[in-house]
Amino acid sequence: MSSLIHLYLIDETCYPTHLAGSDEQKYQTLLDITDKQATRWQTLELNMRGFEPALQLWDTIAGNSQLLLVASFNYYPHQLLPPDADISGPFGFFPADMANDLFTVMQQEYNFDIDSPLGQRLISEIEGDGIDEVNPDAYEMVRDKYFVTFRDAAKQGKSVVVLIEQ
């Protein structure tokens, strides 16, 4: 079953620096603010078995920081929720400075050839970690949508939010 992975642009100042309530109440507030204040910039339609390995490959190529993978699922503006928050869905967030830094690396690595020996080695390592196979078409979709979103966020000084509908 496919999921919709939405990439939004937003001004981080739209989010409060403090929220009261349970983790779920805070999460719902973040979703409401995103719905009202953010602009949906790109959407991918992929199942998680295609999305996660493709995102991990793009992360490996663009710096190998694990940042794209972790922050796409479990990061919050102003650290309003703890990493182990008990919430009903994922919420990904990249502050404007982080989005700008990541775009710089993405720009340098955009044309990386995954069919090269190094590319094939990286794919083998990802698949060897027990994650599903890397689908080259899914990789290109993820790379392209993230690249455009982070490029435009950097140009506009905006943050990026990742919301996944499963």
Side-chain angles (χ1 to χ4, degrees):
M1 180 181 211
S2 291
S3 296
L4 295 175
I5 299 105
H6 302 291
L7 304 169
Y8 294 84
L9 298 185
I10 191 167
D11 184 334
E12 188 173 357
T13 62
C14 292
Y15 295 108
T17 56
H18 177 73
L19 284 173
S22 69
D23 287 349
E24 184 63 26
Q25 289 169 327
K26 292 176 186 178
Y27 172 67
Q28 291 302 321
T29 299
L30 293 177
L31 292 177
D32 290 342
I33 292 168
T34 303
D35 184 52
K36 291 176 182 151
Q37 300 292 326
T39 302
R40 186 179 304 162
W41 213 248
Q42 299 286 324
T43 298
L44 291 138
E45 185 172 356
L46 283 171
N47 62 37
M48 286 296 108
R49 292 177 59 145
F51 177 64
E52 289 183 36
L55 185 60
Q56 185 174 356
L57 179 58
W58 184 220
D59 181 77
T60 300
I61 291 166
N64 201 23
S65 64
Q66 298 284 318
L67 194 55
L68 283 178
L69 194 59
V70 171
S72 287
F73 288 93
N74 190 23
Y75 198 71
Y76 313 99
H78 309 296
Q79 299 178 341
L80 289 167
L81 288 164
D84 62 347
D86 184 19
I87 57 177
S88 58
F91 190 95
F93 183 76
F94 298 85
D97 290 344
M98 186 187 299
N100 187 55
D101 290 346
L102 284 167
F103 168 66
T104 300
V105 177
M106 288 177 180
Q107 190 173 25
Q108 294 168 357
E109 300 299 338
Y110 183 80
N111 291 316
F112 180 85
D113 181 6
I114 63 169
D115 292 324
S116 69
L118 176 57
Q120 291 301 300
R121 191 185 89 221
L122 295 175
I123 290 171
S124 292
E125 289 173 7
I126 289 168
E127 292 175 349
D129 287 341
I131 293 182
D132 297 312
E133 288 185 22
V134 175
N135 178 312
D137 293 333
Y139 164 75
E140 286 183 13
M141 288 185 347
V142 168
R143 179 200 62 193
D144 292 349
K145 300 285 187 177
Y146 268 70
F147 179 82
V148 167
T149 302
F150 280 73
R151 177 197 67 200
D152 296 346
K155 284 182 183 177
Q156 297 177 34
K158 300 282 177 117
S159 299
V160 174
V161 173
V162 181
L163 294 180
I164 300 171
E165 287 182 51
Q166 297 179 328

